[in-house]
Amino acid sequence: YPNPFTNSINIDFGDNKSPKSIDIYNIGGTLLRQTPVFDSSSIEIDMSNLEAGIYIARIVGDTYVESKRLIKF
């Protein structure tokens, strides 16, 4: 959250998930950023250097992978 966003995003993982990393891709599938996650229930990622557009956040845990669409204004 927020989504759409302008400069940064906050991702809340909930109580039952403990991701290892968050990968940000552009809509063409190019990896733009990898952010490791260390024992946290949420994280803020600065995306101010990216242009306006659609991005994919890939949240990777030990036993799951989840993707979320992000929109930057």
Side-chain angles (χ1 to χ4, degrees):
Y1 62 88
N3 192 18
F5 67 96
T6 53
N7 291 318
S8 66
I9 58 168
N10 295 291
I11 299 176
D12 186 4
F13 308 121
D15 295 333
N16 298 328
K17 295 186 178 179
S18 55
K20 301 300 179 193
S21 70
I22 299 174
D23 304 334
I24 304 295
Y25 295 86
N26 66 15
I27 199 67
T30 302
L31 178 63
L32 303 175
R33 169 174 297 166
Q34 285 185 303
T35 303
V37 179
F38 301 102
D39 296 327
S40 179
S41 62
S42 66
I43 190 170
E44 181 177 3
I45 300 175
D46 179 16
M47 307 256 293
S48 61
N49 64 326
L50 299 178
E51 295 180 16
I54 299 173
Y55 297 91
I56 303 297
R58 185 171 176 250
I59 304 166
V60 181
D62 285 334
T63 59
Y64 68 94
V65 175
E66 186 176 340
S67 296
K68 299 287 186 185
R69 185 179 71 165
L70 306 172
I71 301 171
K72 181 176 181 183
F73 283 149

